[in-house]
Amino acid sequence: MSLLMGATSSAAILGCAGTTLTAEEVAFFKDVKPWGFILFKRNIADPEQVRALTAALRDTVGRPDAPILIDQEGGRVARLQPPHWRIYPPGRAYGELVANDPLTAREITRLGARLMAHDLHVLGINVDCAPVLDVPDPKGHEIIGDRAYGDTPEQVATLGRAAAEGLLAGGVLPIIKHIPGHGRALGDSHLELPVVKAKLLELEIRDFAPFRVLSDMPMAMTAHVVYAAIDRKNPATTSKKVIKQVIRGSMGFDGLLMSDDLSMKALTGDFKQRAKDSLSAGCDVVLHCNGDMDEMKAVMSGVGKMSKEARRRAQAVMNRLVKVPEPFDPAEARARFDAAFGGRYA
């Protein structure tokens, strides 16, 4: 079965509470049929457990290819941790790897993503919420910081594409984030609503540029950030202007657009309204991460089935998912990767 049966899927990606599904979660997911799921540290114990959980989640919606997401960037954003999984550097480490040899930096960035894809693929996880395409501003909040691949749009775009290619080659779909750009924000959207006051031309040249370069990617996650030059009231997630004029317009992104987590404090209103506002603004699906059942029920009260356009994009997303990853020797690849970083992430 494929996403051709996406007509029955709800326009949502949901989390679960623990390492196994409760009877209530099974019944709920079978009823609401989210398009996909997302895992966090609370859902991770060991490889066998994760494989069982991903299978159980897919069983609730009756789709063996249902998207299962995780935030596995490397650095401080990594849900898979030792002792069962190796660590990976933050994005900035790739950009600093070989200052005068951009081809080597690109090769190692792709290799790191390919190794992460190998880790994820064997667990049944087929979507990674990476790469980060935000261009950090020196005055911006540290929430992006070393998650960014560099300080220029060109470096971020080049290494971001390398990471995306490594994930795709390993059978894992990338999500570019946080569209149209979080790097200039002075606040953390987990805790507050940042307002960016830069002029549109400044945004187009710097913040928006990497997303425009990678507009061919299958999925993107919105930023809970207000861009006053475009929409003084609404963050990108709930802004028809930002989504239509910038994301779908000047950037030319026609992939599946998902909201960032609806439970973040940048958004206001109850969860039903947050979901409705995001979808009516132009998001194809909404994301709710924390696995709280009451919150999920409220979210789903504002979510219907995926729209025709969302189903088209969702089908295109799954068409990008390779069934057999490219030939790969993980031991040899890890040795090359470790050598490139001098064993710092071994």
Side-chain angles (χ1 to χ4, degrees):
M1 288 181 285
S2 74
L3 283 183
L4 291 175
M5 64 180 292
T8 67
S9 297
S10 297
I13 297 168
L14 302 177
C16 58
T19 54
T20 59
L21 295 181
T22 65
E24 183 181 17
E25 286 173 331
V26 170
F28 178 70
F29 294 148
K30 284 185 175 181
D31 178 40
V32 302
K33 292 182 172 59
W35 181 67
F37 301 94
I38 188 166
L39 302 183
F40 280 80
K41 282 185 181 179
R42 67 177 183 273
N43 308 123
I44 308 293
D46 57 65
E48 183 178 356
Q49 170 269 322
V50 177
R51 283 191 289 269
L53 180 57
T54 58
L57 287 166
R58 290 189 169 107
D59 185 62
T60 66
V61 293
R63 284 182 288 121
D65 61 354
I68 296 184
L69 291 64
I70 196 168
D71 284 292
Q72 191 71 2
E73 299 174 14
R76 56 197 160 105
V77 181
R79 312 308 183 199
L80 304 180
Q81 296 277 346
H84 297 291
W85 295 277
R86 304 290 292 270
I87 61 173
Y88 294 90
R92 178 58 56 86
Y94 295 101
E96 295 175 344
L97 188 60
V98 188
N100 61 349
D101 189 354
L103 291 179
T104 296
R106 189 187 187 288
E107 177 195 358
I108 299 304
T109 304
R110 186 187 191 279
L111 182 63
R114 181 65 185 84
L115 281 161
M116 283 195 285
H118 177 76
D119 294 345
L120 300 177
H121 187 264
V122 298
L123 299 174
I125 298 169
N126 57 0
V127 185
D128 192 4
C129 299
V132 172
L133 298 187
D134 303 309
V135 182
D137 186 283
K139 298 178 182 178
H141 192 278
E142 63 183 9
I143 188 62
I144 299 301
D146 68 356
R147 296 165 68 190
Y149 290 102
D151 294 318
T152 68
E154 295 79 11
Q155 189 175 30
V156 169
T158 298
L159 298 187
R161 181 170 291 281
E165 289 173 355
L167 291 171
L168 284 165
V172 174
L173 296 165
I175 300 176
I176 57 174
K177 66 184 187 184
H178 306 83
I179 201 168
H182 202 300
R184 202 184 291 262
L186 300 178
D188 177 358
S189 55
H190 292 86
L191 305 175
E192 60 182 310
L193 176 60
V195 177
V196 169
K197 297 181 180 179
K199 295 179 180 179
L200 181 58
L201 182 59
E202 294 177 305
L203 294 169
E204 289 282 0
I205 292 172
R206 182 177 174 87
D207 305 65
F208 298 172
F211 294 96
R212 193 161 51 245
V213 173
L214 273 77
S215 62
D216 59 321
M217 287 296 115
M219 299 177 68
M221 178 188 291
T222 62
H224 294 334
V225 175
V226 168
Y227 304 90
I230 307 162
D231 186 335
R232 292 184 174 276
K233 180 180 179 182
N234 302 298
T237 303
T238 59
S239 172
K240 293 180 181 179
K241 289 182 179 179
V242 172
I243 292 176
K244 182 177 181 179
Q245 295 176 21
V246 178
I247 297 175
R248 299 298 190 193
S250 62
M251 287 182 179
F253 178 74
D254 191 40
L256 189 85
L257 185 64
M258 59 183 283
S259 75
D260 203 344
D261 184 10
L262 293 185
S263 64
M264 291 164 64
K265 294 181 180 179
L267 301 183
T268 57
D270 59 32
F271 283 97
K272 177 179 180 178
Q273 195 61 50
R274 294 182 189 193
K276 289 174 70 70
D277 289 347
S278 302
L279 294 170
S280 64
C283 290
D284 294 307
V285 293
V286 296
L287 173 68
H288 183 272
C289 294
N290 65 25
D292 181 282
M293 182 58 71
D294 289 338
E295 289 187 11
M296 288 194 292
K297 288 178 178 178
V299 167
M300 295 311 297
S301 70
V303 173
K305 301 304 179 186
M306 295 179 76
S307 69
K308 183 178 179 180
E309 274 294 281
R311 294 199 306 272
R312 176 186 66 79
R313 294 183 179 121
Q315 185 65 59
V317 163
M318 299 309 288
N319 290 344
R320 296 285 296 274
L321 191 62
V322 299
K323 305 305 180 192
V324 180
E326 70 177 14
F328 183 67
D329 181 338
E332 186 274 336
R334 188 77 208 196
R336 278 197 294 135
F337 186 81
D338 290 345
F341 282 103
R344 280 181 288 158
Y345 301 98

